[in-house]
Amino acid sequence: MHPVSKLLYFYLVLNADDDGFVGSVKMINFLTNADQSNYDELLENNLILEPTKNGVYVITDWYAQNKIEPKIYKATEYLSVRALLFIKTNFAYTTNPDEKDVISPVDYWIKQGRDKKTPPEIQAQQYLEQFQETSKKVPRSVEETSKKVLAQNRLDKNRLDKSRLEQNRPDQTKKEKINKENNYKYINSSSNGGMGEFLLNDDSSTSSIENNATTENGENSGVNQDTVSSLFNYLNGISTTDIPKDNKRLADVFDMLIHNGYEIEDIQSGIDNIMNVANQMPQYQNEQSLAKLLIQHLPECTKQTLKQSSSND
């Protein structure tokens, strides 16, 4: 980089507020002889960000490089600019919410105490859970509403499969539900404790689910394939991504759950819980990553659905 650009970055860091924002650069320009080309060089190297064109600059790696004690921390006065930023797993700023390693909006992260101790993937899950709860109360945009209506129409179209399977089925008793939960004990004994720990990690191992997707003697249970097909129809009815029915690993997970006593509505509720999160995450809007997410977490989500259902009886 040009020496003036290096000097400019040094002065920007020195004059930044507690959130890494610099709003007045006239004196800095005078002291460093910097011009717009030097700012452009820093921007190209991602050393600073300019979320808006109002002359407010942000030190990209501010929180990666600095720690300010809560007792003396004072929030930036440029809150409207901060609202446009997102925090990443390395605690650097970004203006792109679709980056794979984004934790949450910066405003939420700062509100939670600028937490660097909790693993970033856990922080991301905490944000998603709160976002889902809040979004139930806040009107959605026209675009979001339209997508939801289309997905609902597809869901209604596939409800016929469920109604056919449930015809003449007697109501399930509490005792049967307890037995189902007992049957579950060997299903997921080696899987992770829930979605939060691995939700944003596309490299997470799925070996435990793959191993558990067969019966104890290592063979598929051979349950009615119409039921498995119906679960694929249900999933694709509420998802914007179609997963083909020849996805053997996901079919094995469906097969495993049915073999171990779960009703189709329990599995569908588990799918609903996962899709509530996946539909909000750009990285899960393709067949491969969505299938992987379901393979990792569907047994645990189905188990939680059963627990909630039993507690309500």
Side-chain angles (χ1 to χ4, degrees):
M1 284 196 306
H2 193 280
V4 173
S5 300
K6 295 179 181 179
L7 183 62
L8 172 61
Y9 181 73
F10 175 77
Y11 270 89
L12 287 173
V13 171
L14 283 180
N15 288 273
D17 61 25
D18 288 357
D19 284 324
F21 287 67
V22 184
S24 180
V25 296
K26 289 184 179 180
M27 180 59 70
I28 294 175
N29 293 342
F30 174 77
L31 294 172
T32 62
N33 290 323
D35 56 27
Q36 187 58 45
S37 65
N38 301 117
Y39 285 93
D40 291 340
E41 188 172 10
L42 295 180
L43 289 166
E44 289 170 5
N45 286 277
N46 199 36
L47 291 172
I48 62 173
L49 300 172
E50 189 182 13
T52 62
K53 297 300 180 181
N54 61 356
V56 177
Y57 296 95
V58 186
I59 309 300
T60 305
D61 294 324
W62 179 259
Y63 275 114
Q65 299 172 351
N66 296 280
K67 179 180 178 181
I68 302 174
E69 294 299 323
K71 291 182 179 180
I72 61 173
Y73 166 75
K74 182 179 180 182
T76 183
E77 62 183 273
Y78 305 107
L79 296 178
S80 61
V81 179
R82 196 179 74 180
L84 303 175
L85 297 176
F86 298 83
I87 198 79
K88 300 197 295 184
T89 54
N90 63 353
F91 304 108
Y93 287 130
T94 180
T95 57
N96 182 9
D98 295 330
E99 287 193 35
K100 180 180 177 181
D101 52 352
V102 165
I103 296 176
S104 71
V106 169
D107 282 352
Y108 174 85
W109 185 74
I110 290 178
K111 182 180 178 182
Q112 299 306 306
R114 299 172 296 147
D115 184 7
K116 287 188 177 182
K117 296 180 180 179
T118 305
E121 62 270 19
I122 300 298
Q123 294 190 47
Q125 175 62 12
Q126 291 170 348
Y127 167 70
L128 283 173
E129 290 173 353
Q130 180 164 333
F131 175 80
Q132 290 171 22
E133 190 64 29
T134 304
S135 63
K136 296 176 183 178
K137 306 173 184 177
V138 179
R140 296 177 178 272
S141 66
V142 173
E143 181 181 359
E144 289 175 319
T145 302
S146 299
K147 288 182 179 179
K148 186 175 182 181
V149 170
L150 289 173
Q152 184 63 42
N153 289 340
R154 295 177 65 188
L155 173 60
D156 292 339
K157 185 178 179 181
N158 287 285
R159 287 188 186 277
L160 182 59
D161 290 329
K162 178 179 177 182
S163 63
R164 286 172 178 168
L165 289 168
E166 292 180 339
Q167 269 186 343
N168 301 321
R169 175 179 293 164
D171 292 336
Q172 191 176 38
T173 64
K174 289 184 182 180
K175 181 177 180 181
E176 289 172 324
K177 291 194 174 186
I178 293 172
N179 288 338
K180 284 199 305 182
E181 188 162 1
N182 290 335
N183 287 336
Y184 184 85
K185 289 182 180 178
Y186 75 91
I187 298 176
N188 201 34
S189 59
S190 61
S191 65
N192 64 70
M195 292 181 64
E197 192 170 349
F198 296 103
L199 179 60
L200 299 182
N201 187 352
D202 284 342
D203 297 326
S204 300
S205 169
T206 60
S207 59
S208 62
I209 299 299
E210 186 175 19
N211 293 335
N212 288 332
T214 56
T215 58
E216 290 174 310
N217 60 9
E219 299 178 355
N220 278 343
S221 60
V223 298
N224 191 330
Q225 291 305 308
D226 288 341
T227 307
V228 173
S229 176
S230 176
L231 288 169
F232 273 104
N233 289 340
Y234 181 83
L235 168 63
N236 291 328
I238 62 174
S239 170
T240 56
T241 302
D242 283 339
I243 299 180
K245 297 178 183 178
D246 60 0
N247 189 306
K248 186 176 184 304
R249 294 182 68 198
L250 183 55
D252 284 344
V253 174
F254 289 153
D255 184 278
M256 170 197 68
L257 291 169
I258 299 167
H259 173 76
N260 286 283
Y262 285 94
E263 301 291 351
I264 187 172
E265 60 267 24
D266 297 328
I267 305 172
Q268 288 173 341
S269 295
I271 292 173
D272 289 341
N273 291 338
I274 294 176
M275 292 307 302
N276 285 338
V277 175
N279 284 335
Q280 319 235 1
M281 303 293 288
Q283 59 264 47
Y284 296 117
Q285 302 308 308
N286 64 77
E287 170 197 331
Q288 184 177 3
S289 61
L290 179 58
K292 189 174 182 179
L293 182 70
L294 286 156
I295 290 167
Q296 288 174 325
H297 300 297
L298 184 56
E300 183 65 26
C301 285
T302 306
K303 177 184 178 182
Q304 295 301 324
T305 298
L306 179 60
K307 284 183 177 179
Q308 293 173 1
S309 177
S310 298
S311 64
N312 291 334
D313 286 345

